[in-house]
Amino acid sequence: MANQLTAGANQALPPGALSIRVPGPFDLSVIVTGADGRVAGDDDFVFFNQPTAPGARLDGATISVDPARLRPGAARVTVVLSPADARTPLASLPAPVMTVVDGGGRPLARFAPPRPAAETVLLLAELYRRDGGWRIRALGQGYADGLAGVARDFGIDVEDDADADLDDGPGHADLLALVNAARSRAGLRLVTVDARLAAAARAHAAEMASHGSLSAESPTGISLFQRVTSGGYAYLDLAEHLVSGPRTAAEFVDYCLSGHDRGNPFRNEAFTHLGPGHAVDDASGLTYWTVLWARPHSAAGLEKAVADVLALTNRERTAAALPPLAADPRLAAAARAHSTDMVARDFYSHTTPEGREPWDRARAAGAPHRAIGENIACGQRTPAEVVRGWMDSPGHRANILTPGFTHLGVGYATGGRAGTYWTQLFGGSV
């Protein structure tokens, strides 16, 4: 039985050759890269017009890969899916399903990526070298600018008239290579460009340049985080660089790595996607950068985030000689719904626009507790940061350390004006 992978999941591969198959009206390609995330040359791109390379062969709907026979220095093989008819959007085709088998035909893995929306290409999966062996990671990452855009981001020289209007200033492919070189030196997995993040970053950089100022919110009131989610990217974690001055990708990376806090996204193992954007202020000639770093939303990631908030909250109660709070799924459902509602309707309050209060939400969710308390927060990026913020606030701290509270539900949602919205809903007898 093949292991069912979800986006972001990975598993070890046995030694030897393997085959990757995606039946249907699709074209498969693979891109072989080194530890820096870049190809060594055009021969590292295996597709319908160039079906073989050392260790990789394309045969219809199947790609065969033998990691031991890849060219020297190969550290990663990215599997790419595109429509067989380039004029047909992926969203109108059957949902793709990738299967991986070993050299003897034994099933190893299966991956059904999220259904594409506006994307024209999907990065399906990547094989990567780790601790002397090879692993496979499911991706499901969409691109909106075609196979040529994907190839360029990996360093392949592609001439495509449809993309002639792409970036003629600081190279985003150069930025990706420099970022991945820094991550490779730190022993971290490489990031890939997500077209939705890149589109949001370009639009935000253009607004900053047009107004000559750095800000996470445009003069029209649209926040960078709202721009990301309205573009179709659901994130669990997001970091941003808003920078003016550097003229090239190399100058931008040097500036970011010269400061500890600015360099944190480069060192964050959780980030898998990059969204680069830049624009030039015509009046001053100054270059404005928006570069987004993200970990995509997943059910497992969300579950861990809320579990971490509960654990950190109970650590504070233990330090105060109080019993720990138990997780309550009914309170959690109400807390999650409130965080999501604050994002969707752009408000930040214990009271909803209709006048519903925390106890109303708890009762509607079926929670039986007589006493209800609520903490909310927005803008904090991690469970540790949000719990520390609550503990530093007398009112919120009082809820966390109320002896009569016995249960807790935690909600977390991303997007909106502040980027992150957290809710704690407490229940107890007094």
Side-chain angles (χ1 to χ4, degrees):
M1 174 73 79
N3 185 27
Q4 301 289 324
L5 295 177
T6 58
N10 69 87
Q11 73 176 65
L13 294 172
L18 54 89
S19 295
I20 300 168
R21 177 173 173 79
V22 184
F26 308 110
D27 282 331
L28 276 182
S29 315
V30 295
I31 301 175
V32 180
T33 55
D36 62 354
R38 304 284 282 174
V39 298
D42 291 350
D43 290 344
D44 280 345
F45 187 22
V46 177
F47 65 117
F48 48 85
N49 280 340
Q50 185 172 271
T52 62
R57 185 180 75 256
L58 171 64
D59 184 9
T62 302
I63 289 276
S64 301
V65 179
D66 186 347
R69 296 183 59 240
L70 294 170
R71 54 97 171 159
R76 195 170 300 256
V77 179
T78 302
V79 182
V80 184
L81 180 85
S82 55
D85 181 348
R87 298 166 297 180
T88 303
L90 280 174
S92 68
L93 298 177
V97 177
M98 179 187 78
T99 56
V100 184
V101 300
D102 66 14
R106 182 173 64 94
L108 299 175
R110 182 179 183 274
F111 176 48
R115 192 167 186 86
E119 298 89 346
T120 57
V121 175
L122 281 180
L123 302 191
L124 272 183
E126 59 182 4
L127 315 181
Y128 61 100
R129 191 191 300 273
R130 179 64 59 89
D131 298 329
W134 284 79
R135 303 183 69 86
I136 185 168
R137 178 183 292 115
L139 296 177
Q141 175 199 338
Y143 263 69
D145 51 357
L147 194 58
V150 174
R152 260 197 303 276
D153 280 339
F154 283 89
I156 299 166
D157 186 15
V158 177
E159 293 295 332
D160 187 337
D161 292 340
D163 296 314
D165 60 344
L166 285 179
D167 189 17
D168 59 357
H172 291 167
D174 292 342
L175 176 61
L176 179 66
L178 291 164
V179 165
N180 278 334
R183 290 175 71 88
S184 179
R185 289 192 296 270
L188 303 176
R189 61 180 171 181
L190 308 186
V191 295
T192 55
V193 170
D194 182 274
R196 295 160 296 182
L197 286 176
R202 287 194 298 268
H204 193 75
E207 284 230 15
M208 291 196 301
S210 67
H211 293 90
S213 63
L214 293 174
S215 175
E217 187 169 306
S218 74
T220 58
I222 299 174
S223 81
L224 177 59
F225 314 108
Q226 290 169 315
R227 201 184 296 276
V228 168
T229 53
S230 67
Y233 189 95
Y235 61 88
L236 193 67
D237 300 323
L238 187 77
E240 69 281 353
H241 279 113
L242 305 178
V243 175
S244 63
R247 294 164 298 173
T248 66
E251 289 180 5
F252 170 83
V253 170
D254 287 344
Y255 170 75
C256 293
L257 292 178
S258 67
H260 184 271
D261 289 345
R262 292 195 299 268
N264 280 338
F266 288 80
R267 298 183 289 269
N268 191 323
E269 170 71 16
F271 292 138
T272 58
H273 292 156
L274 190 73
H278 78 278
V280 177
D281 179 356
D282 292 334
S284 67
L286 201 61
T287 300
Y288 285 80
W289 294 83
T290 298
V291 176
L292 301 171
W293 308 72
R295 174 163 64 126
H297 181 277
S298 69
L302 179 61
E303 183 178 345
K304 184 178 185 307
V306 299
D308 286 349
V309 171
L310 175 60
L312 290 165
T313 299
N314 279 335
R315 183 183 301 174
E316 298 294 345
R317 287 179 65 89
T318 299
L322 294 170
L325 302 171
D328 186 316
R330 295 158 297 189
L331 292 175
R336 182 170 57 250
H338 188 57
S339 288
T340 302
D341 192 26
M342 288 191 289
V343 170
R345 295 200 285 172
D346 193 20
F347 74 97
Y348 178 66
S349 174
H350 294 287
T351 306
T352 70
E354 299 84 10
R356 289 169 61 85
E357 302 289 354
W359 42 89
D360 298 321
R361 295 189 287 275
R363 188 181 306 111
H369 311 287
R370 288 192 301 166
I372 296 293
E374 185 178 76
N375 286 342
I376 59 175
C378 65
Q380 294 83 0
R381 304 301 176 96
T382 67
E385 185 182 348
V386 72
V387 173
R388 175 47 48 201
W390 281 325
M391 289 299 293
D392 288 341
S393 166
H396 297 97
R397 178 188 178 92
N399 275 338
I400 289 174
L401 300 183
T402 293
F405 285 147
T406 56
H407 291 78
L408 178 67
V410 179
Y412 174 56
T414 57
R417 195 175 303 276
T420 60
Y421 290 78
W422 307 81
T423 301
Q424 283 184 313
L425 195 57
F426 300 86
S429 57
V430 292

